[in-house]
Amino acid sequence: MATQLELARQGKITEAMEIVAKQEKMDVNLIRERVAEGTITICANVNHTSLIPRGVGKGLSTKVNANIGTSSAYPDIEPELIKLQAAIDAGADAVMDLSTGDNIDMSRRAIIEKSTVMVGTVPIYQATVDAIKKHGAVVDMTADDLLHAIAVQAKDGADFMTIHCGVTREVIQRMRKQGRIADVVSRGGSFITGWMLHNQKENPLYERYDDILDICRQYDVTISLGDGLRPGCLADATDRAQIQELIILGELVDRAWAKGVQVLVEGPGHVPFDQIAANMKLQKQICKGAPFYVLGPLVTDVAPGYDHITSAIGGTLAAANGADFLCYVTPAEHLALPTIEDVHEGVIASRIAAHAADIVKGIPGAKDWDLKMAKARKALDWQEQLKLAIDPKKAERYRNARNMPNTEACSMCGDYCAMKIVGEYLNKPMDLCD
């Protein structure tokens, strides 16, 4: 079967392209053209039957991803399924299953079955867990173990998969020469780095890249080229290791497109505010406009408990300068596995960042949303304000808890409401002096 990319190149408009065009209020022919050139990706595995397709990329609204999944400390799948629904209810466009607890296959299959949004995975997590059970150590994992995990997850319906192909021996050597404060903070990147250093061999994900592309093409899985050496603190941002890996990812984009496989490119990370725009423009140039998927970026290292805010600050600037897909960060980042409430807060914070950027990008309908809210506030139309809120339930809780029933103004200003005062007098005739 042909992938969305291959069909677009053939001039064919697919059902998924039509759905995306309707969602984005765009001409379907423009969607097809950009899928064909690789600047729009529609992550839609042929085996993910419950999916409502979404597009990521040039000219489209900025998308938001929520990470969920079990851990060795919390292996129960049921809370993760509740988090899945919480993420969807909060408006997430995708979720990533990062499960490392027992029954990884069962967790992933349950999430894919119940998810109407894109589902991403990181196959090396499962490969390492299985390697420990099978061989006794992560460093004894084989290339075939990695490809087996990729094949299983692709067959199960994963729409996009993070593969850390750009962490090569050359990149690791550059990192060691320059030195880093936080070294490698990507979990997948650390697994493959440890494997390479122990075995003194090249990254098997890089060496077997063509085999990985063959698997992805079979199920139309979008390959998400992982940034295994993303900076984990501000001091490491935009260093030689990060940029060298990005250069390799740019080459791997070309190879994926040549095989008809759709691509996302992943990016940083912890980045000072004044470096974010340059990072986005550099990625777009090196990777020829492939959709860019960023974690945050987080603009400071000192706000544990509030990192959904630090990432939203960076996410707005990143998306305004070219990032297409924001991976949420929750208040629990760097501290613990997120709760259901953390998932909700993380999604909303990232959606705020995405929407703020979409206004700047000129995405159809973005400014209209804010204009409707402004008019509702002017009219003191509380029902319309709550309806338009990005988090209607939270807005309603505040409104109902801190105001007397049927009050026109809010308790912040009460009788001195600016909207109410000006509304009473602005339309009255004025006596003008000569």
Side-chain angles (χ1 to χ4, degrees), residues 105-151:
D105 286 330
M106 182 180 70
S107 300
R108 178 180 60 258
R109 289 163 187 163
I111 288 170
I112 290 172
E113 179 185 358
K114 295 181 181 299
S115 179
T116 56
V117 301
M118 300 178 282
V119 176
T121 62
V122 188
I124 195 171
Y125 291 179
Q126 180 166 16
T128 55
V129 170
D130 289 347
I132 292 171
K133 293 177 181 177
K134 181 179 178 181
H135 305 297
V138 173
V139 293
D140 292 326
M141 177 174 56
T142 68
D144 287 341
D145 292 334
L146 285 164
L147 263 69
H148 174 74
I150 293 168

Side-chain angles (χ1 to χ4, degrees), residues 324-346:
D324 306 286
F325 197 7
L326 303 180
C327 184
Y328 86 164
V329 174
T330 77
E333 184 77 8
H334 303 109
L335 299 171
L337 192 73
T339 64
I340 295 163
E341 292 74 19
D342 292 330
V343 168
H344 178 86
E345 290 292 313

Side-chain angles (χ1 to χ4, degrees), residues 3 36 74 80 84 124 143 163 167 170 181-182 188 190 207 234 245-246 258 277 281 283 291 332 356 369 399:
T3 64
Y74 293 94
E80 303 312 308
L84 166 66
I124 195 171
I163 312 290
V167 184
E170 177 188 9
I181 300 297
S190 70
E207 291 190 319
L234 299 191
E245 181 184 24
L246 180 59
K281 296 179 189 303
Q283 185 277 339
W369 186 3
R399 172 68 184 164

Side-chain angles (χ1 to χ4, degrees), residues 258-297:
K259 282 215 168 191
V261 174
Q262 299 186 95
V263 183
L264 296 171
V265 179
E266 299 185 14
H270 292 238
V271 183
F273 192 80
D274 64 341
Q275 294 182 27
I276 291 174
N279 268 262
M280 302 305 109
K281 296 179 189 303
L282 184 62
Q283 185 277 339
K284 286 291 183 177
Q285 180 67 28
I286 290 175
C287 298
K288 299 182 179 178
F292 199 21
Y293 176 31
V294 297
L295 177 64

Side-chain angles (χ1 to χ4, degrees), residues 6 21 27 41 61 64 84 102 105 119 123 132 152 166 215 225 284 312 320 329 339 371:
E6 291 170 325
D27 183 343
T41 292
S61 58
V64 170
L84 166 66
D102 291 334
D105 286 330
V119 176
I132 292 171
V152 168
I215 295 169
L225 293 169
K284 286 291 183 177
V329 174
T339 64
L371 183 59

Side-chain angles (χ1 to χ4, degrees), residues 27-48:
D27 183 343
V28 70
N29 291 294
L30 183 57
I31 298 292
R32 184 203 62 77
E33 289 173 9
R34 291 179 178 174
V35 172
E37 69 185 14
T39 56
I40 285 179
T41 292
I42 300 176
C43 306
N45 187 309
V46 295
N47 286 345
H48 188 180

